[in-house]
Amino acid sequence: MDFDQEKYLTLLAEKYPTVQTVCREIINLSAILNLPKGTEHFMSDLHGEYEAFYHILNNCSGVIREKVDALFEDKLSDEERERICTLVYYPREKLELIKKDVINLNEWYREILSELIEIAKTLSSKYTRSKVRKAMPEEFAYIIDELLHVQKDEEDNQVIYHRKVLETIIELDNADEFIVALAALIKRLAVDRLHIVGDIFDRGACADQIMDLLMTYHSLDIEWGNHDILWMGAAAGNKACIANVVRNNLRYDNTEILENSYGISLRKLTLFAEKLYPDLDPMKAAVKAVTVMLFKLEGQLIARHPEYEMADRMLLHRVNWENHTIELEGKTYEMTETVFPTIDTDHVYDLSEEEAAIMEELCMAFMNSGRLNEHIQFLYKKGGMYKTFNGNLLYHGCIPLDAEGNFEGICIDGRMYKGRAYLDYAEKTCRRAFLSGRRQSDVDFMWYLWCGRKSPLCGRNIKTFERSYIADKTVWHEESDPYYKFYQTERTCNMILREFGLYSPISHIINGHTPVRTGEGEQPVRANGKLFVIDGGFCRSYHKTTGLAGYTLIYNSHGIRIKAHQPFESVYAALSENKDIESESELVETEKERIMVKHTDIGKKILEDIEGLKKLLEAYREGAIEQGNA
């Protein structure tokens, strides 16, 4: 043995001090390798739609309903099965309603507890007993473990034991809490890993509640979206990001998330706006005021960074303030807005004294909001620009390409960043911007990721100025990165996968960001099955565009399928009428052989552990390392 190997085996021997403990662990790990892989769910572009997301999280994208139908279709009516599902989704709330209608409550408890145990038993079959035990609510773990592993014998001793346990739970008036515990376990076992492929924030009103929910979830990762990075930049003190966040929430009438959820007051801004535009509704006036501030701040930032190559987006100095027209690409356009009381025509990108004070106050509020910072820190802890997981590549926006379909990027400090190196650089810079000193250039780059022309999170040439001030919609078109043309081809997708170290023929790209317009015939599956776009339009404002209310991509041991969700009515309708989200399932890819743990990233790690344990076993048997006490 060399020094490093001896050191490694010596450390391993502290945990496995004898031949028998090593053998036991090798046997255990080898068995785990041959279990089916856990089920992964992928969702993107939640955009603050808390109720719909909460319901889909509770119904596990329809998987609970599928299991209940498979188990009880021949035994229970449609209504009875729907009631079981709703009970699993919202156990406490549904119990209160059921208890008002049930005549023989004890008999109902006996039936429902047996049914819930049957569901949990089915879902637990692909996991080790140890993993299932860890997933159980602690206060009922021993009892549930016993009930899940009841075996019939000649005299039905265990069945009688099972029945007596349930009767005792009912007699002790503990059935409600036991049902809540079983419901939690069922939902926990139905989804082993959740992937959020970007854009939790903006448009919908309750992104903060989604973040609270995700912070309690057992296993997840988040690939940052452009709207997430905007809020992250705002929390880092980027004033251009802050102006964008405020403007977005004013336009979508979502100011409660700022003022009530995160304690960021807009009072000074709205009072200022009312003074500037006394004839307007206060919220519309605030939008006007912050929009002007936004273009000033973006102009300052672009001027600081010529490497962004976005000087053509500095448009305030190109306005003819006498007749309120602007020349773009040789053509003159009339502007829809003619009142600009805070513009100094000699210094158009300078904030007025009052504007500067408002932005300073907003900056301090964003940077010092405790709850916002808690959520942003969670995005850093669980998130990143991309993730490779079990052979798939996950990212929100795009991998920038040039007109020929080759990797494109950005030159920073004399170095060109493209492909994977670009995303790695972007993530490192984002982490520095918030976690390490908040250097100006790093904080500024957060804004570039939000709307930069070659940003991997944006992927298009943003035209906010034109859309705000010019009626002629021919100048509104936002040209997309060539990625969105080339990603339709299998060749380009394979090129991207190889760039990220994925060479398997069953690897895929999982992408969000661009809503799939099913009403216009678009499909989420692209490039002969190599790429999935899973932005199905959770946000209500996109329902007409997509014709749907969200997608979930499900990847289990049998293959990949996509669930297309219809709009969610309300939690009240779910509780009172057992209304679920209607979802259609499309099988995308079926594996010839079932995917086992040994084929996953965890399986690779387990194989490495087994190899190390075998070397330790050999060292014990040869006397190279002395055994200890078990």
Side-chain angles (χ1 to χ4, degrees):
M1 285 187 291
D2 60 28
F3 175 77
D4 288 339
Q5 187 179 44
E6 183 178 6
K7 186 176 180 181
Y8 166 69
L9 293 180
T10 301
L11 289 171
L12 197 60
E14 293 178 9
K15 190 173 182 181
Y16 305 101
T18 66
V19 165
Q20 192 53 48
T21 57
V22 173
C23 290
R24 184 177 64 203
E25 186 63 10
I26 292 173
I27 293 166
N28 177 50
L29 293 176
S30 298
I32 290 172
L33 287 173
N34 291 284
L35 287 170
K37 78 173 282 295
T39 300
E40 300 171 58
H41 282 202
F42 304 77
M43 301 165 76
S44 81
D45 298 86
L46 309 178
H47 284 303
E49 292 292 343
Y50 171 74
E51 273 210 344
F53 175 65
Y54 182 41
H55 187 80
I56 288 175
L57 217 57
N58 278 330
N59 80 358
C60 302
S61 302
V63 170
I64 301 296
R65 190 173 175 178
E66 292 172 355
K67 296 298 182 185
V68 169
D69 286 345
L71 285 168
F72 304 118
E73 192 168 17
D74 298 331
K75 302 176 186 176
L76 302 174
S77 67
D78 290 349
E79 183 180 347
E80 288 170 324
R81 298 198 308 276
E82 287 169 358
R83 188 165 64 171
I84 290 173
C85 290
T86 308
L87 182 64
V88 172
Y89 307 159
Y90 306 101
R92 293 193 187 278
E93 297 88 342
K94 190 61 179 176
L95 275 168
E96 293 303 311
L97 295 175
I98 289 172
K99 288 192 291 186
K100 292 176 183 177
D101 298 330
V102 173
I103 297 171
N104 188 337
L105 189 59
N106 283 354
E107 180 59 30
W108 178 81
Y109 275 138
R110 277 190 285 273
E111 291 175 359
I112 195 64
L113 286 171
S114 295
E115 289 158 355
L116 293 176
I117 288 165
E118 194 66 26
I119 299 166
K121 191 181 293 185
T122 299
L123 288 166
S124 68
S125 62
K126 65 163 64 177
Y127 303 112
T128 65
R129 189 165 177 174
S130 172
K131 183 167 182 173
V132 174
R133 181 81 184 255
K134 289 174 184 174
M136 296 173 187
E138 189 176 343
E139 61 272 24
F140 289 110
Y142 176 76
I143 297 170
I144 295 174
D145 189 40
E146 289 289 309
L147 294 174
L148 289 183
H149 297 92
V150 168
Q151 301 292 328
K152 293 202 73 169
D153 55 49
E154 288 184 8
E155 297 181 0
D156 280 346
N157 291 319
Q158 287 213 335
V159 174
I160 295 167
Y161 165 68
H162 174 185
R163 190 182 307 128
K164 186 60 181 175
V165 169
L166 295 183
E167 286 177 358
T168 304
I169 289 170
I170 295 166
E171 288 170 9
L172 293 173
D173 199 23
N174 205 209
D176 285 4
E177 291 303 317
F178 195 58
I179 287 170
V180 171
L182 282 171
L185 177 63
I186 287 167
K187 289 180 282 193
R188 166 66 182 82
L189 294 175
V191 181
D192 193 48
R193 179 84 173 194
L194 176 65
H195 308 277
I196 304 295
V197 192
D199 277 0
I200 296 165
F201 285 88
D202 285 337
R203 296 199 175 95
C206 301
D208 60 310
Q209 294 181 51
I210 292 177
M211 289 299 298
D212 288 339
L213 191 60
L214 292 176
M215 288 173 73
T216 67
Y217 204 77
H218 59 270
S219 177
L220 85 157
D221 52 75
I222 300 167
E223 289 64 60
W224 301 329
N226 53 317
H227 287 271
D228 304 319
I229 215 76
L230 179 64
W231 281 76
M232 292 160 70
N238 185 308
K239 291 179 181 178
C241 289
I242 289 168
N244 270 291
V245 167
V246 171
R247 182 176 182 273
N248 286 345
N249 284 277
L250 284 166
R251 289 178 65 241
Y252 283 94
D253 196 24
N254 289 337
T255 56
E256 282 192 6
I257 190 173
L258 291 172
E259 297 193 306
N260 296 346
S261 300
Y262 291 135
I264 296 168
S265 174
L266 301 180
R267 178 176 170 77
K268 184 175 281 191
L269 171 64
T270 53
L271 289 174
F272 173 67
E274 286 178 13
K275 184 175 67 175
L276 290 179
Y277 310 103
D279 297 330
L280 288 181
D281 171 83
M283 290 299 103
K284 290 182 179 178
V287 171
K288 277 198 171 189
V290 79
T291 298
V292 174
M293 294 159 67
L294 168 63
F295 295 138
K296 290 181 178 182
L297 290 163
E298 289 187 337
Q300 293 173 20
L301 195 151
I302 292 168
R304 288 197 297 270
H305 295 282
E307 70 274 18
Y308 292 172
E309 298 181 347
M310 292 181 67
D312 62 312
R313 301 310 306 151
M314 296 175 67
L315 297 177
L316 286 179
H317 69 284
R318 297 168 65 178
V319 173
N320 184 327
W321 298 106
E322 292 182 1
N323 60 15
H324 294 97
T325 61
I326 186 169
E327 185 178 314
L328 299 173
E329 297 181 357
K331 186 176 178 180
T332 300
Y333 298 90
E334 290 188 5
M335 293 174 60
T336 55
E337 179 60 51
T338 60
V339 180
F340 292 90
T342 65
I343 290 286
D344 178 348
T345 56
D346 293 325
H347 306 281
V348 291
Y349 296 108
D350 289 355
L351 296 177
S352 70
E353 189 175 328
E354 284 184 277
E355 286 175 326
I358 289 166
M359 285 310 307
E360 196 59 40
E361 182 180 280
L362 286 170
C363 188
M364 293 301 293
F366 272 88
M367 293 177 71
N368 292 296
S369 168
R371 187 159 182 247
L372 176 60
N373 274 271
E374 184 181 21
H375 288 166
I376 298 303
Q377 285 169 3
F378 184 75
L379 284 176
Y380 277 104
K381 180 180 178 182
K382 293 293 184 178
M385 290 291 295
Y386 68 92
K387 190 170 188 68
T388 58
F389 195 89
N390 287 343
N392 294 315
L393 172 61
L394 290 59
Y395 54 80
H396 178 73
C398 68
I399 307 300
L401 302 176
D402 63 19
E404 284 73 45
N406 302 308
F407 290 121
E408 180 64 289
I410 189 170
C411 187
I412 304 285
D413 296 330
R415 179 176 175 183
M416 192 71 184
Y417 295 94
K418 298 180 180 182
R420 182 175 186 172
Y422 185 10
L423 270 67
D424 287 339
Y425 170 80
E427 180 167 333
K428 183 179 179 181
T429 304
C430 288
R431 294 188 182 280
R432 281 202 313 257
F434 187 78
L435 303 170
S436 304
R438 308 195 181 190
R439 191 173 63 181
Q440 184 69 57
S441 61
D442 294 337
V443 173
D444 285 352
F445 192 68
M446 305 286 278
W447 172 85
Y448 182 83
L449 289 174
W450 152 246
C451 64
R453 184 168 292 126
K454 296 177 184 176
S455 163
L457 297 182
C458 178
R460 67 184 190 275
N461 188 16
I462 297 293
K463 296 288 187 74
T464 309
F465 185 97
E466 291 88 336
R467 289 169 177 262
S468 300
Y469 295 144
I470 300 175
D472 188 339
K473 292 186 179 180
T474 61
V475 297
W476 288 18
H477 174 67
E478 298 178 333
E479 184 182 1
S480 295
D481 190 276
Y483 168 86
Y484 294 103
K485 178 181 76 172
F486 288 107
Y487 82 159
Q488 301 280 359
T489 69
E490 196 171 347
R491 176 183 174 278
T492 294
C493 291
N494 284 331
M495 176 186 77
I496 292 171
L497 288 165
R498 288 194 298 270
E499 172 74 359
F500 287 82
L502 299 174
Y503 298 92
S504 169
I506 62 169
S507 291
H508 310 88
I509 296 169
I510 300 169
N511 207 164
H513 191 48
T514 53
V516 179
R517 293 170 170 81
T518 56
E520 298 175 14
E522 288 187 353
Q523 295 297 320
V525 183
R526 313 279 165 91
N528 197 27
K530 294 302 291 184
L531 182 142
F532 306 114
V533 180
I534 60 168
D535 181 359
F538 266 97
C539 180
R540 292 178 189 272
S541 62
Y542 276 150
H543 288 183
K544 289 183 180 179
T545 302
T546 62
L548 294 170
Y551 284 122
T552 302
L553 182 74
I554 300 173
Y555 180 31
N556 61 21
S557 59
H558 297 289
I560 295 175
R561 58 189 173 128
I562 289 180
K563 283 265 193 172
H565 307 300
Q566 295 302 312
F568 178 57
E569 187 171 330
S570 67
V571 172
Y572 175 78
L575 289 168
S576 59
E577 304 172 44
N578 297 316
K579 282 194 173 181
D580 207 341
I581 287 181
E582 294 299 323
S583 303
E584 293 182 6
S585 182
E586 177 188 350
L587 192 64
V588 176
E589 187 173 284
T590 304
E591 301 301 333
K592 293 179 182 177
E593 295 183 9
R594 199 171 187 187
I595 305 172
M596 314 306 279
V597 170
K598 63 186 174 186
H599 302 123
T600 67
D601 292 348
I602 291 173
K604 292 173 186 175
K605 175 66 170 60
I606 291 174
L607 285 167
E608 290 175 3
D609 291 345
I610 290 173
E611 188 61 30
L613 286 164
K614 285 181 176 179
K615 288 178 180 177
L616 178 60
L617 182 62
E618 183 181 353
Y620 279 153
R621 286 174 170 166
E622 291 178 352
I625 293 179
E626 186 177 346
Q627 294 186 62
N629 298 315

